[in-house]
Amino acid sequence: MTTIKSDMVRARIEPELKERAEAVLERLGMSTADAIRIFLTQVALRQAFPLELTLPEAARLPETEQ
C-alpha cells in the first residue's frame, strides 16, 4: 500500500465568510479542503489564476483620457 504525501495549508479567514462558504460547499457535496485542492489544481494546470478578477463597477477607477 502506498502512502499519499500531503502538506498542510493554513490561512486566516473571517469566521462569517468561512461559515457562508462552507454552507455552499456542503450543498455541493464537498469540503473546504476539496475546494482548495480543486483551486490549486486549476492554478497548476492553467499556470494562471483560474478566475477572472474584476472590480465591481462602483469600485473602479475613473477612465483617464489620453
Side-chain angles (χ1 to χ4, degrees):
M1 176 189 281
T2 60
T3 303
I4 298 174
K5 294 182 181 180
S6 63
D7 279 339
M8 179 71 68
V9 176
R10 294 176 52 119
R12 293 195 181 274
I13 305 294
E14 294 83 8
E16 182 183 335
L17 173 60
K18 181 177 178 272
E19 289 173 15
R20 290 174 43 216
E22 286 177 335
V24 173
L25 294 170
E26 184 178 334
R27 293 187 69 181
L28 293 169
M30 71 174 66
S31 67
T32 303
D34 293 333
I36 293 168
R37 192 174 302 105
I38 290 167
F39 173 78
L40 293 178
T41 298
Q42 287 301 305
V43 169
L45 288 171
R46 296 170 189 231
Q47 297 186 25
F49 201 82
L51 305 169
E52 181 180 356
L53 298 177
T54 59
L55 290 171
E57 193 70 35
R60 294 184 185 167
L61 297 173
E63 300 224 5
T64 58
E65 294 183 27
Q66 295 180 351

